[in-house]
């Protein structure tokens, strides 16, 4: 299994500002993923972060709004830029763990609960 | 393409009663199916998954789910609910076992009555 630590666990931010969320994994992983969970809704994949290359964004998400860094195999950051109240969500970091095609699963951090006022 | 539909955004059962959380999926290829649980203020934890083989899958905390291809369903059950089972439950589907291709359902909040 993988242990994932996210910081901060929660924050209240002013609109127009930016917040950087950190994700630390206790083992080296190839891919790290960032999800958004809007209030009362399910998880939506924002982007996939690979070490040494630019992140791959899903439809509806752009690098200018959600820049991602992946400096090494155990760490990633997601920045929520120029925030508005619509960005109020839980942001979760995830990694793929396990061995073999049939044993992989996704491990999640505890999430960052962001409120934009 | 894959999609997941969870029937019932909120389910309430009495302690000791059967828990049944419904999930139907759509997939153009053989699916991999997952159930995740999210306790308050925590991340997601994998309850169980189906990738291949036996269609009845047993997970943690006494939960199990049965893959029924003919019904395109993957309902989650537990014979006897416990107060600690109160949480949000997400059904998810993937065409691969890769975490990057997981599509989540809208979630079902399970409440347990004393």
């Amino acid at each position: 299994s993988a242990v994932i630590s996210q910081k901060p666990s929660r924050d209240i931010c002013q609109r127009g500002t930016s917040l950087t969320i950190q994700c630390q994994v206790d083992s080296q992983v190839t891919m790290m993923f960032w999800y958004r969970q809007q209030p009362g809704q399910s998880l939506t994949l924002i982007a996939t972060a690979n070490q040494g290359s630019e992140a791959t964004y899903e439809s509806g998400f752009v690098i200018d709004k959600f820049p991602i860094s992946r400096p090494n195999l155990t760490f990633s950051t997601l920045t929520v830029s120029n925030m508005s109240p619509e960005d109020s969500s839980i942001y979760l970091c995830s990694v793929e763990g396990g061995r073999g095609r049939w044993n992989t699963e996704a491990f999640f951090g505890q999430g960052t609960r962001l409120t934009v006022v | 393409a894959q999609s997941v539909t969870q029937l019932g955004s909120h389910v309430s059962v009495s302690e000791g009663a059967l828990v049944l959380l419904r999930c139907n999926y759509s997939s153009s290829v053989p699916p991999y199916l997952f159930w995740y649980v999210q306790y308050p203020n925590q991340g997601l934890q994998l309850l169980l998954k189906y990738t291949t083989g036996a269609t009845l899958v047993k997970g943690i905390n006494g939960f199990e789910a049965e893959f029924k291809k003919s019904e395109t369903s993957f309902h989650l059950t537990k014979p006897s609910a416990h107060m600690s089972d109160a949480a949000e439950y997400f059904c998810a589907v993937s065409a691969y076992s890769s975490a990057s291709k997981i599509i989540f359902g809208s979630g079902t909040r399970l409440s347990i009555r004393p």
Side-chain angles (χ1 to χ4, degrees):
Chain A
S1 65
V3 177
I4 303 172
S5 299
Q6 269 187 247
K7 292 181 181 180
S9 59
R10 60 178 62 230
D11 207 342
I12 301 174
C13 300
Q14 297 290 324
R15 67 177 66 199
T17 63
S18 298
L19 175 71
T20 295
I21 302 168
Q22 299 180 4
C23 179
Q24 179 76 51
V25 189
D26 68 342
S27 58
Q28 294 184 339
V29 293
T30 303
M31 292 190 290
M32 297 177 74
F33 308 93
W34 288 99
Y35 285 83
R36 181 176 71 182
Q37 185 179 20
Q38 294 178 299
Q41 298 189 29
S42 187
L43 283 77
T44 302
L45 181 63
I46 298 172
T48 303
N50 293 324
Q51 194 268 337
S53 64
E54 282 198 2
T56 302
Y57 289 83
E58 298 298 308
S59 176
F61 297 97
V62 295
I63 188 171
D64 290 346
K65 177 66 176 177
F66 298 102
I68 289 172
S69 77
R70 184 79 201 275
N72 57 54
L73 291 174
T74 63
F75 187 77
S76 178
T77 66
L78 170 75
T79 299
V80 186
S81 303
N82 188 24
M83 289 183 286
S84 67
E86 291 71 35
D87 294 320
S88 298
S89 297
I90 299 174
Y91 293 86
L92 295 112
C93 172
S94 172
V95 303
E96 185 178 73
R99 293 185 177 181
R101 180 179 180 184
W102 308 114
N103 293 314
T104 56
E105 64 181 83
F107 296 92
F108 289 85
Q110 79 277 17
T112 297
R113 187 179 296 271
L114 170 62
T115 301
V116 183
V117 297
Chain B
Q2 287 75 41
S3 66
V4 176
T5 301
Q6 288 184 242
L7 301 176
S9 59
H10 184 208
V11 171
S12 179
V13 303
S14 298
E15 189 174 19
L18 171 71
V19 175
L20 171 61
L21 305 183
R22 300 179 186 274
C23 173
N24 288 90
Y25 69 90
S26 172
S27 180
S28 56
V29 297
Y32 298 166
L33 295 159
F34 310 85
W35 274 99
Y36 282 87
V37 60
Q38 185 178 35
Y39 297 103
N41 300 315
Q42 295 189 28
L44 274 72
Q45 179 182 6
L46 181 68
L47 270 180
L48 48 81
K49 63 181 178 182
Y50 168 80
T51 55
T52 187
T55 56
L56 182 61
V57 181
K58 295 185 183 298
I60 62 173
N61 302 337
F63 284 93
E64 61 183 36
E66 185 171 11
F67 169 59
K68 291 187 176 180
K69 183 178 180 180
S70 61
E71 299 178 7
T72 61
S73 68
F74 191 57
H75 301 330
L76 181 71
T77 60
K78 182 174 181 178
S80 177
H82 191 273
M83 295 299 292
S84 62
D85 294 327
E88 188 88 17
Y89 291 80
F90 293 94
C91 182
V93 65
S94 172
Y96 311 91
S97 59
S98 167
S100 65
K101 300 299 183 184
I102 292 179
I103 306 298
F104 286 88
S106 56
T108 297
R109 183 161 60 90
L110 176 63
S111 300
I112 311 296
R113 301 188 300 270

